[in-house]
Amino acid sequence: MAEKIILDVDTGHDDMVAIVMASGLEEIDLLGVVAVAGNQVLEKTLHNTLNVCQLIGESAPVFAGMDRPIIRERVVAGDIHGKSGLDGPTFPPLNKQAERGHGVNFIIDTVMGNPHEVTLVPTGPLSDIAMAIRLEPRLPKVVKQIVLMGGSLGAGNRTPYAEFNIFADGEAASIVFNSGAPIVMMGLDVTLQVLLDRERLDRYSRFSSKTATMFNASMKHYMAACRLHGAEYPAMHDPCCVAYVADPTIFTTEEHSIEVELKDEERYGKTIALPPTPNKPTLVGMGADTSLFWPLLERAFSNLP
Ligand code: RIB
Ligand code: CA
């Protein structure tokens, strides 16, 4: 039975790879995609999400989510993902349109209408997930699980303390981690182990499908941008969430309760691991078997145009 998921993305480069894997893997039933402000402003992350879904032939509905964080001022990551939020590939004229209605309401209606069956996979700031929890307080007990990309038990990547998705909406992250929902946190501890190196990118550059061509053009930009910021190779942050849903055995995890620093300005957005408590169950990704990760992406390529 395929896992029913809703992706909540701030499409950027690695979000694009997460969409490709969710669309191309038989283990996943992609019910819908919600775009949120994060890597770029919502208008751009929504446009990028629609472009990616149209190019790969993904028919799942796409919704607009929150255009700003719950409380703090909006931040973006144009330095990595570029002015468009997905610099590199070119897309044909866009015909796919966003659905009417707010993405947060889509999340609530879908989760509550399919109790204990739907996994939420947020790969950007947690603004939409937090709003869904506030609007429908029963959601944490009805959602199957939340597999999120964000946080770090070690250093951050937006500040020395905070990973970008958490930094971009710390209050939303705190609501989610304290909600009681079963959470899997794919933070930098594990995502920085899944790197796209030059040899692999050169190999994928020989794939000629539309999806692979988009992937390669995107990754060439992403690799160059990461190098400008001191990283030798780009990490597959967001796709780790989809890979976990498809095959949890790829990853090792530790159980913790997670708190988010909100008061100390310097450490704002830091995810702090505390001893696990039954009402705040978070599995934190710690290890990845990359020999099992890449075949998932390659199978998704083979299933998409
Ligand atoms: O820190 C990595 C995260 O921030 C990824 O989700 C990337 O897309 C950016 O949103
Ligand atoms: Ca993202």
Side-chain angles (χ1 to χ4, degrees):
M1 185 78 162
E3 288 294 333
K4 292 180 172 62
I5 78 165
I6 295 174
L7 276 176
D8 191 277
V9 292
D10 60 335
T11 306
H13 292 75
D14 54 330
D15 303 79
M16 174 275 292
V17 186
I19 296 170
V20 165
M21 288 178 74
S23 182
L25 290 176
E26 297 88 342
E27 297 89 331
I28 305 283
D29 179 4
L30 182 57
L31 301 180
V33 189
V34 181
V36 68
N39 282 323
Q40 263 299 351
V41 295
L42 175 62
E43 179 192 1
K44 294 181 178 179
T45 61
L46 177 61
H47 183 77
N48 296 336
T49 303
L50 288 164
N51 264 329
V52 171
C53 288
Q54 176 179 283
L55 185 137
I56 67 176
E58 177 51 60
S59 60
V62 175
F63 293 82
M66 295 288 285
D67 70 349
R68 70 198 66 195
I70 303 276
I71 291 177
R72 64 155 297 153
E73 78 285 356
R74 183 171 61 202
V75 291
V76 295
D79 50 341
I80 295 288
H81 299 277
K83 190 165 178 294
S84 71
L86 186 56
D87 283 9
T90 55
F91 293 95
L94 180 58
N95 300 310
K96 187 175 178 70
Q97 295 188 347
E99 305 294 319
R100 295 170 64 83
H102 199 288
V104 171
N105 291 325
F106 170 73
I107 289 170
I108 293 168
D109 295 345
T110 307
V111 170
M112 302 308 287
N114 300 275
H116 313 295
E117 291 183 22
V118 178
T119 293
L120 296 178
V121 182
T123 63
L126 292 164
S127 316
D128 290 335
I129 312 303
M131 286 298 287
I133 291 168
R134 281 291 185 262
L135 272 170
E136 178 43 84
R138 295 172 298 170
L139 188 139
K141 295 299 178 208
V142 176
V143 70
K144 181 172 184 179
Q145 59 180 348
I146 299 174
V147 183
L148 64 91
M149 194 281 139
S152 168
L153 301 191
N157 63 357
R158 180 64 182 221
T159 74
Y161 305 100
E163 178 278 327
F164 175 78
N165 287 340
I166 308 301
F167 179 79
D169 197 341
E171 285 75 13
S174 182
I175 288 168
V176 175
F177 280 117
N178 286 289
S179 68
I183 294 172
V184 178
M185 177 180 123
M186 286 292 172
L188 299 179
D189 317 280
V190 66
T191 65
L192 288 173
Q193 297 175 37
V194 189
L195 302 177
L196 178 70
D197 64 26
R198 184 78 251 176
E199 181 274 331
R200 183 172 298 279
L201 183 53
D202 289 345
R203 189 150 64 81
Y204 290 166
S205 294
R206 294 195 286 273
F207 295 5
S208 59
S209 69
K210 285 192 299 181
T211 301
T213 300
M214 171 191 61
F215 173 91
N216 292 321
S218 300
M219 291 299 111
K220 285 190 176 75
H221 169 89
Y222 191 33
M223 187 175 278
C226 288
R227 286 197 166 159
L228 282 176
H229 290 80
E232 191 178 10
Y233 297 120
M236 296 292 103
H237 301 293
D238 298 339
C240 280
C241 295
V242 178
Y244 179 89
V245 176
D247 181 2
T249 68
I250 295 176
F251 301 96
T252 60
T253 59
E254 288 177 358
E255 191 169 3
H256 294 284
S257 287
I258 298 291
E259 286 294 337
V260 180
E261 178 58 59
L262 299 176
K263 295 184 171 41
D264 180 314
E265 190 174 342
E266 185 185 7
R267 294 170 182 271
Y268 175 88
K270 179 174 176 54
T271 44
I272 301 151
L274 301 173
T277 57
N279 63 337
K280 287 175 55 180
T282 297
L283 290 179
V284 178
M286 299 306 291
D289 180 347
T290 55
S291 71
L292 298 176
F293 174 88
W294 295 110
L296 288 182
L297 177 59
E298 292 164 23
R299 178 153 43 95
F301 282 149
S302 69
N303 289 332
L304 295 172

